[in-house]
Amino acid sequence: HPEVLNDEHAISYTCPDPRTDFDQNKLDTEYVQPSQELTWKSGAEIWNYLQDSPDRWKRSYQQARHILFDWKSREFAPHLHNGSSIYESACGTGRNLALTLDIVRQVSGVTDLVVYGNDLSQENAVAAQILFRQVHPFQGNLGRICPGVSSTNLSHIPSDAFDLVYTSYITPLSDPLNFHYKNGGNETEIHSEYKSLCRYYGRFDKNSSSNEDNSSHGKGTNPSKRAFDEVQKMQAIQEEWYAAWTSELIRIARPGAPVLVEEISLPLCEVSHDFGGVSQDFWERAVRRYSWKVEKDSMHFTQAANGHYFLSMKKQDE
């Protein structure tokens, strides 16, 4: 693993061994495959590729920069100064980090930011390491980017460490009810099964007596009631996942630092083009349930044109 910069402000920790107990095939192949090729390239070649190729939402670098400019100008730039540390959880190939530094430099003239991060894909993280070690886009310096690390477990990182912490996307669980293991289906069949659940879920009336199963077929044969129960279970699992990811973001942020979540998707039965997500009311509930150290009234939402939304909040000062 690359060494942390020899600087009095460097944040020292050691990357754990990359995880191998997850199924690489469950990662988005369009997202992972290009970065396997990138690990064989120089930093300059990686940077050229990231500027020329689309992101996971089919946006070019310049399109993404235009879409994110106001958000990053408002939520990132005012909180960063020369030498500040910025951590992106699930940083991928470093594209969003570089884009962030690009916008911050234009808005406030800040340079010499030290970037840190992790990604579950080893190939993604290695490409990001090469990029920031060799190219230093927008004068960004490599602190440490750990490969093969889940964003829900950053226990190798000290608490209260970074000046700004964010994630550009919390990847929702694609199969929270484990239909793959129960039914042995492929991804298309599994997603179809979830869509079927949502159709029945939409027909369920919690206040209707017709939901009671009094038929000769026995208890639990009402498909709408079963779908309602399954969707409730699915959403609870999804929310635990989002909470675990966000809990780590908050923990590693310094007191008073911004904690930002970009591109939050909605629950599967509300918007089907993602594999799931959480509604805005989840976050207030999560602050109470998980005792997050977040400043009261610091939570603000920004709506995105693609149906996603963004969240900004501030960790409590000491």
Side-chain angles (χ1 to χ4, degrees):
H1 305 301
E3 292 300 315
V4 173
L5 293 171
N6 184 20
D7 184 272
E8 61 178 337
H9 301 296
I11 299 158
S12 180
Y13 58 87
T14 302
C15 291
D17 292 334
R19 280 188 58 181
T20 57
D21 60 336
F22 64 91
D23 185 356
Q24 281 274 9
N25 293 325
K26 289 187 177 181
L27 295 175
D28 184 346
T29 54
E30 291 185 1
Y31 189 55
V32 174
Q33 290 299 329
S35 27
Q36 292 176 338
E37 301 172 8
L38 291 181
T39 59
W40 307 328
K41 297 181 182 294
S42 69
E45 290 172 319
I46 291 172
W47 182 225
N48 289 335
Y49 173 85
L50 295 179
Q51 292 182 92
D52 294 339
S53 63
D55 65 11
R56 65 164 64 215
W57 293 289
K58 313 303 181 187
R59 306 177 303 200
S60 69
Y61 179 89
Q62 289 302 325
Q63 287 172 330
R65 189 183 189 281
H66 175 75
I67 290 168
L68 297 171
F69 188 88
D70 288 346
W71 158 261
K72 289 187 182 289
S73 297
R74 182 178 69 249
E75 303 295 348
F76 287 71
H79 306 286
L80 296 170
H81 311 282
N82 290 341
S84 290
S85 59
I86 179 170
Y87 190 99
E88 183 185 0
S89 185
C91 66
T93 54
R95 174 189 171 115
N96 192 286
L97 268 173
L99 187 151
T100 300
L101 270 55
D102 181 0
I103 294 173
V104 169
R105 187 178 71 167
Q106 177 179 338
V107 171
S108 60
V110 170
T111 59
D112 297 323
L113 295 175
V114 187
V115 300
Y116 299 79
N118 68 280
D119 202 83
L120 190 58
S121 164
Q122 295 185 47
E123 292 84 1
N124 283 348
V126 170
Q129 290 174 352
I130 296 170
L131 174 66
F132 281 98
R133 190 187 306 123
Q134 295 184 8
V135 178
H136 306 284
F138 308 105
Q139 299 181 21
N141 295 304
L142 176 64
R144 175 154 291 166
I145 294 176
C146 294
V149 171
S150 171
S151 293
T152 61
N153 182 8
L154 303 179
S155 57
H156 57 285
I157 298 176
S159 299
D160 306 329
F162 300 100
D163 296 315
L164 185 148
V165 177
Y166 82 107
T167 185
S168 57
Y169 185 58
I170 296 180
T171 308
L173 296 172
S174 60
D175 187 16
L177 297 178
N178 287 325
F179 285 154
H180 172 76
Y181 298 105
K182 293 175 184 176
N183 306 327
N186 60 37
E187 184 176 295
T188 302
E189 292 170 342
I190 292 167
H191 197 47
S192 177
E193 190 156 354
Y194 279 103
K195 286 184 177 180
S196 178
L197 268 183
C198 289
R199 284 195 297 272
Y200 280 110
Y201 173 79
R203 300 171 190 168
F204 180 68
D205 181 357
K206 291 184 287 185
N207 300 315
S208 173
S209 60
S210 65
N211 293 318
E212 298 297 328
D213 183 8
N214 298 316
S215 71
S216 59
H217 298 291
K219 184 177 180 180
T221 59
N222 184 324
S224 294
K225 176 61 168 66
R226 290 201 309 275
F228 179 83
D229 293 340
E230 288 282 85
V231 169
Q232 294 291 97
K233 179 182 177 183
M234 172 182 71
Q235 191 57 35
I237 294 170
Q238 199 75 264
E239 290 184 358
E240 286 289 337
W241 173 253
Y242 274 68
W245 192 305
T246 307
S247 293
E248 287 292 70
L249 297 180
I250 296 168
R251 182 184 64 79
I252 66 175
R254 285 182 176 168
V259 178
L260 310 169
V261 185
E262 300 181 343
E263 302 286 359
I264 305 168
S265 52
L266 292 168
L268 178 63
C269 292
E270 294 183 30
V271 179
S272 62
H273 61 257
D274 287 294
F275 279 105
V278 295
S279 58
Q280 291 187 13
D281 62 17
F282 157 77
W283 299 99
E284 290 286 357
R285 289 187 281 110
V287 170
R288 297 189 297 270
R289 179 174 181 179
Y290 302 101
S291 301
W292 285 344
K293 295 180 178 179
V294 174
E295 289 281 357
K296 185 179 180 181
D297 301 325
S298 71
M299 196 173 289
H300 299 287
F301 299 101
T302 300
Q303 195 63 42
N306 61 357
H308 293 168
Y309 64 95
F310 292 45
L311 168 65
S312 62
M313 50 189 168
K314 180 182 177 184
K315 186 169 178 177
Q316 288 178 353
D317 261 320
E318 290 181 328

